[in-house]
Amino acid sequence: MGWRIGVIGGDGIGPEVVEQGLRVLRHLDARERLGLEEVPFDLGAERYLRTGDTLPDADFERLRDEVDAIYLGALGDPRVPSNVHAKDILLGLRFRLDLYVNFRPITLLDARRCPLKDKGPADVDMVVFRENTEGLYTGVGGQFKRGTPDEVAIEAELNTRKGVERIIRAAFDHAEERGAPSVCMADKANAMRHGHDLWQRVFREVAAEHPSIRAFHLYVDVLAMEMVRAPERFDVVVTNNLFGDIVTDLGAQLQGGIGLAASANLHPGQGPGLYEPVHGSAPDLVGKGTANPLAALLTAGWMLEHHGRADLNQEIHDAVRGCLLADEVTPELGGTLGTTEVTDRVIARLG
Ligand code: IPM
Ligand code: MN
């Protein structure tokens, strides 16, 4: 097929875990002749500290026009306390590439890693469709009388008909394609009467076009409770940007921790997706060789799936499951192996 991957290692352990994901991709490329090409991008705290650049137009345009997928490690560096570069790069790519789907699977691979009593892989198996281009993330709002006793700070939640409809449609389309029995929409319409009324109306409309899928609604506080009480209720969950951010961290713990959570930022049918492990840059682990690469590996698997190779994603998931079950993992997950060794074991299982 032939495709180019724009690589942004980023900060902290980002470059270390992305390198492991690339090793897995190179292995599969050699075996399957995928025609992968890696295109490195120097974006992150180092460059920002050196030049003041965060996401210059030239880099943005190359990412937009010259690659088929973007593979990002992590952003965040103690030397940049404002985190301005991370915001410009990560949120900048999400917004400027209009990657309106934040696809966040919550898949328990090893029952022992689930913090819930008596729940196993059959129970924790869902995917969250998090709206990724509006909501409370646009920066719309302002400050007034800042620093005075009378100060006011407004953070406006943006909900557009187009934005709400396309994420809800993406969730139902995914459910149709995967044969998922249900789609749950979560909002807070009982308190947020304008924007979330829009979500409710659009959800009912789109659900009516998919009669074979069971559509149900929960307020987001109830969703949080139910994900812990009865995660087996959920197959596909669709929600707004901020709620999706929060419930996918909760979901990350259900599947064994943030070190196992993968994600993809997508605009179906258009341009490159942005693939990133959900975890951060973990500055304290840099250079120790013990960062857990598994989320980055699973993320690479989703990149392959979204490029037509669901079979290879399944293989990566099976190999990662094999390592987890055999305790061939980094110290963070209770093992004794290093970053590279864990990847070696995954690659060995891929054959
Ligand atoms: C995530 C992160 C980001 C978000 C932060 C770093 C802005 O938490 O990808 O989940 O809130 O989207
Ligand atoms: Mn988050």
Side-chain angles (χ1 to χ4, degrees):
M1 64 190 161
W3 42 287
R4 291 157 65 89
I5 304 174
V7 180
I8 307 173
D11 305 334
I13 60 167
E16 300 173 28
V17 297
V18 157
E19 176 56 26
Q20 303 309 311
L22 292 172
R23 287 182 60 214
V24 168
L25 289 169
R26 288 174 202 139
H27 174 82
L28 292 171
D29 184 33
R31 202 188 76 188
E32 305 282 327
R33 306 202 183 292
L34 302 172
L36 296 189
E37 191 188 330
E38 297 165 26
V39 187
F41 282 81
D42 175 21
L43 294 169
E46 284 295 340
R47 170 141 175 220
Y48 173 67
L49 291 167
R50 205 170 64 237
T51 66
D53 290 333
T54 56
L55 179 61
D57 288 342
D59 294 79
F60 170 73
E61 283 158 18
R62 286 181 54 220
L63 284 163
R64 184 190 60 197
D65 301 334
E66 295 176 18
V67 304
D68 303 297
I70 303 167
Y71 190 30
L72 171 74
L75 293 164
D77 186 300
R79 293 168 301 169
V80 189
S82 72
N83 226 21
V84 58
H85 70 298
K87 245 169 93 189
D88 283 5
I89 297 168
L90 181 63
L91 299 184
L93 286 170
R94 288 179 186 168
F95 286 111
R96 294 169 76 183
L97 293 171
D98 200 27
L99 303 172
Y100 65 90
V101 175
N102 196 325
F103 174 88
R104 295 194 158 182
I106 299 169
T107 314
L108 176 64
L109 295 173
D110 173 2
R112 296 173 306 158
R113 316 230 169 229
C114 183
L116 306 179
K117 188 149 55 79
D118 302 329
K119 300 293 178 190
D123 302 306
V124 182
D125 182 13
M126 68 187 96
V127 56
V128 176
F129 277 68
R130 167 186 174 188
E131 203 292 320
N132 212 30
T133 50
E134 46 186 60
L136 274 163
Y137 273 67
T138 62
V140 171
Q143 297 185 334
F144 181 50
K145 298 189 181 178
R146 185 170 195 270
T148 77
D150 295 324
E151 83 175 332
V152 176
I154 296 176
E155 205 78 55
E157 192 186 84
L158 192 81
N159 296 278
T160 67
R161 170 81 202 194
K162 171 180 151 190
V164 173
E165 186 172 333
R166 66 186 183 172
I167 187 69
I168 290 176
R169 285 198 181 283
F172 277 97
D173 289 348
H174 177 84
E176 293 279 4
E177 277 159 31
R178 290 304 198 94
S182 73
V183 174
C184 171
M185 190 275 279
D187 64 21
K188 192 65 190 169
N190 50 350
M192 301 173 71
R193 290 170 26 232
H194 308 299
H196 296 193
D197 169 66
L198 176 62
W199 278 78
Q200 298 248 332
R201 282 182 287 122
V202 174
F203 183 65
R204 280 196 297 270
E205 261 177 55
V206 178
E209 295 171 24
H210 298 273
S212 63
I213 295 170
R214 193 166 53 79
F216 66 106
H217 167 264
L218 294 177
Y219 296 123
V220 70
D221 49 347
V222 180
L223 171 66
M225 183 169 72
E226 288 296 278
M227 280 173 68
V228 171
R229 189 189 68 83
E232 65 279 5
R233 287 186 70 188
F234 303 104
D235 305 299
V236 177
V237 173
V238 60
T239 191
N240 70 28
N241 207 338
L242 181 65
F243 295 166
D245 179 45
I246 297 166
V247 302
T248 56
D249 269 22
L250 190 158
Q253 289 305 317
L254 299 185
Q255 65 178 339
I258 200 88
L260 293 170
S263 83
N265 304 261
L266 308 165
H267 184 131
Q270 175 189 304
L274 168 63
Y275 296 82
E276 44 156 355
V278 176
H279 65 69
S281 59
D284 49 313
L285 292 183
V286 175
K288 297 203 171 125
T290 58
N292 174 11
L294 294 177
L297 270 47
L298 293 168
T299 298
W302 284 106
M303 187 191 300
L304 291 165
E305 169 140 354
H306 293 146
H307 287 263
R309 294 302 302 262
D311 58 324
L312 300 180
N313 188 23
Q314 187 63 54
E315 273 194 58
I316 291 176
H317 272 72
D318 291 343
V320 168
R321 180 189 295 107
C323 284
L324 289 168
L325 293 173
D327 291 315
E328 295 176 357
V329 291
T330 50
E332 173 226 354
L333 290 175
T336 56
L337 300 183
T339 309
T340 312
E341 292 165 289
V342 169
T343 311
D344 291 343
R345 305 296 171 95
V346 170
I347 290 174
R349 287 187 163 81
L350 290 171

